[in-house]
């Protein structure tokens, strides 16, 4: 119990204060989504960086690949992974979603259809 309390004090929970001045930003990560991709905050431009694509999933079938950056969902700009997750919401199977994607060479429009949730 004493060790636990000491850890909380060291973490700033029990009256201490944390210094965030030198803290590194932690990218927001969205795990497997209904469109079959994991995304994180893009660092080179606004958008959601595709960090993994599920083989045979909706994004894979639409030609979206790892390291692509999703910049829009259904004509709504996506600034980061959290905005992407909010824009996707909880679609049901059969829902079609339009994604604007930057593949580091060109912007493309991809249509994904939710197959499973």
């Amino acid at each position: 119990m004493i060790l636990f309390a000491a850890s909380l004090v060291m973490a700033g929970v029990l009256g201490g204060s944390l210094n965030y001045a030198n803290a590194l930003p932690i990218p927001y990560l969205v795990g497997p989504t209904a469109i079959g991709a994991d995304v994180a905050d893009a660092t080179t431009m606004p958008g959601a960086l595709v960090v993994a694509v599920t083989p045979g999933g909706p994004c894979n079938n639409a030609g979206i690949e790892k390291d692509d950056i999703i910049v829009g969902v259904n004509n709504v700009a996506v600034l980061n992974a959290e905005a992407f997750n909010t824009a996707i919401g909880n679609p049901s199977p059969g829902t079609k979603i339009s994604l604007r994607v930057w593949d580091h060479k060109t912007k493309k429009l991809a249509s994904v259809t939710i197959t499973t949730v």
Side-chain angles (χ1 to χ4, degrees):
M1 181 67 175
I2 293 173
L3 180 58
F4 177 73
S7 296
L8 289 175
V9 169
M10 290 174 64
V13 175
L14 295 177
S17 62
L18 295 176
N19 179 0
Y20 293 103
N22 296 323
L24 296 173
I26 299 172
Y28 185 88
L29 174 68
V30 176
T33 63
I35 65 167
D38 296 352
V39 300
D41 290 344
T43 58
T44 57
M45 63 186 283
L49 174 69
V50 177
V51 294
V53 177
T54 304
C59 276
N60 181 247
N61 294 339
I64 297 171
E65 300 175 345
K66 182 180 181 290
D67 295 328
D68 285 354
I69 298 175
I70 299 170
V71 296
V73 175
N74 294 332
N75 294 319
V76 175
V78 170
L79 301 178
N80 55 34
E82 185 175 13
F84 166 81
N85 195 42
T86 300
I88 293 295
N90 293 314
S92 57
T95 302
K96 292 187 182 204
I97 297 173
S98 176
L99 301 177
R100 281 182 294 154
V101 180
W102 172 251
D103 69 1
H104 301 281
K105 296 177 205 130
T106 59
K107 285 185 182 176
K108 62 184 177 183
L109 191 59
S111 179
V112 299
T113 301
I114 305 305
T115 53
T116 59
V117 178

